[in-house]
Amino acid sequence: MNSKPKYSHLAVYKFKPGQSGNVAGRPKSYMTILKELGYTKPVIATMVAELMFMPLEELYEIRDSRTEPAIRVAIAKSFCRTAYTGEYKYIADFLTILFGRAVPFIHSEPEPETSAE
């Protein structure tokens, strides 16, 4: 019988107590980065709503602009791509990145009252 454990040769690569394998930590989400830049969810939601109702020509101008904030350009690009391809997934992916997945709401009807006789 083999006296050495199967993976004993990997012991030299094991992390020491108190040591982490991911020194940089978890990557920041887009919302965290935007919050650090001073944007809030309501501000971004308002920006998205404004862009949703713009004519395509204005969206194309924003998309190609060098002076617009990057977040507006990114949103405009996703709307333009959706308008061009007809696929909603570009907007859905972008909104999921910003706001997270939509949680389905199941409306439950109140139970009918029963009379105790």
Side-chain angles (χ1 to χ4, degrees), residues 1 11 18 20 31 52 58 74 83 114:
M1 177 150 243
S20 170
M31 281 309 295
M52 286 174 115
E58 289 181 35
T114 57

Side-chain angles (χ1 to χ4, degrees), residues 17-93:
Q19 182 183 13
S20 170
N22 187 359
V23 180
R26 184 179 191 176
K28 291 182 180 181
S29 71
Y30 285 105
M31 281 309 295
T32 303
I33 295 168
L34 290 172
K35 283 179 186 174
E36 289 174 356
L37 294 173
Y39 293 100
T40 61
K41 278 189 180 183
V43 169
I44 295 168
T46 302
M47 190 183 319
V48 170
E50 288 173 359
L51 292 171
M52 286 174 115
F53 292 101
M54 281 187 177
L56 276 177
E57 289 301 319
E58 289 181 35
L59 279 175
Y60 290 135
E61 288 175 17
I62 292 171
R63 178 195 67 182
D64 299 331
S65 174
R66 297 276 185 215
T67 58
E68 288 284 337
I71 186 72
R72 280 180 56 99
V73 173
I75 296 168
K77 281 184 180 183
S78 64
F79 284 148
C80 291
R81 189 175 301 144
T82 296
Y84 182 74
T85 63
E87 292 195 33
Y88 177 75
K89 71 177 185 175
Y90 300 109
I91 295 173
D93 291 345

